[in-house]
Amino acid sequence: MMPRHITIDAGNPYALAQFWSGVTGWAIAAGDVPGDDEVLVPAPAPIPGLLFIRVPEEKSVKNRVHLDWSPTERTRDAEVDRVLALGGTIHEDHRAPDGRGWVTMKDPEGNEFCIERSEAERTN
């Protein structure tokens, strides 16, 4: 068995999918439009896609599960700056003076995720 989608509750599924489409570089599924109750951001196989589902309540507590992202084309710090420009915010900064560590961020609806060092940064 393998995961097909990672499902994320959202107040505005299309807007949140737009943010994550910008973060990942994956396009929103053809046919999904603003106002839809379910919006999919398909990922390249075998990675599970991101599925955003409308819920009536706002996020109120810390996520019990979150995604850790590792940049493939940039450094961790460059990726943090790029995600900030897309509308993310820094929640907790765990970067260490020696270059190790990660940054816990929030998407526009407050869902936490982490950006770790890239593979190149981890092997140097």
Side-chain angles (χ1 to χ4, degrees), residues 57-124:
E57 65 277 354
E58 292 184 11
K59 181 180 177 298
S60 61
V61 298
K62 182 182 183 303
N63 294 21
R64 298 283 308 255
V65 174
H66 71 262
L67 301 175
D68 291 343
W69 296 90
S70 179
T72 56
E73 299 174 9
R74 286 170 275 284
T75 65
R76 174 202 55 211
D77 295 346
E79 191 68 15
V80 167
D81 290 342
R82 189 180 75 82
V83 172
L84 286 169
L86 290 169
T89 56
I90 292 177
H91 177 61
E92 296 174 340
D93 194 330
H94 298 278
R95 290 178 277 196
D98 68 0
R100 295 177 189 240
W102 67 95
V103 178
T104 304
M105 301 190 74
K106 290 186 177 184
D107 70 17
E109 290 200 12
N111 299 299
E112 297 94 0
F113 61 97
C114 291
I115 298 180
E116 300 178 348
R117 293 182 298 158
S118 67
E119 179 75 27
E121 291 173 294
R122 290 191 308 271
T123 58
N124 290 335

Side-chain angles (χ1 to χ4, degrees), residues 4-80:
R4 181 172 172 219
H5 300 128
I6 298 167
T7 302
I8 301 167
D9 291 349
N12 184 335
Y14 193 84
L16 199 54
Q18 284 183 303
F19 170 80
W20 282 104
S21 176
V23 169
T24 62
W26 309 332
I28 293 174
D32 286 352
V33 297
D36 283 352
D37 289 335
E38 298 179 5
V39 179
L40 177 63
V41 178
I47 302 168
L50 302 176
L51 179 61
F52 301 90
I53 305 285
R54 185 179 312 280
V55 296
E57 65 277 354
E58 292 184 11
K59 181 180 177 298
S60 61
V61 298
K62 182 182 183 303
N63 294 21
R64 298 283 308 255
V65 174
H66 71 262
L67 301 175
D68 291 343
W69 296 90
S70 179
T72 56
E73 299 174 9
R74 286 170 275 284
T75 65
R76 174 202 55 211
D77 295 346
E79 191 68 15
V80 167

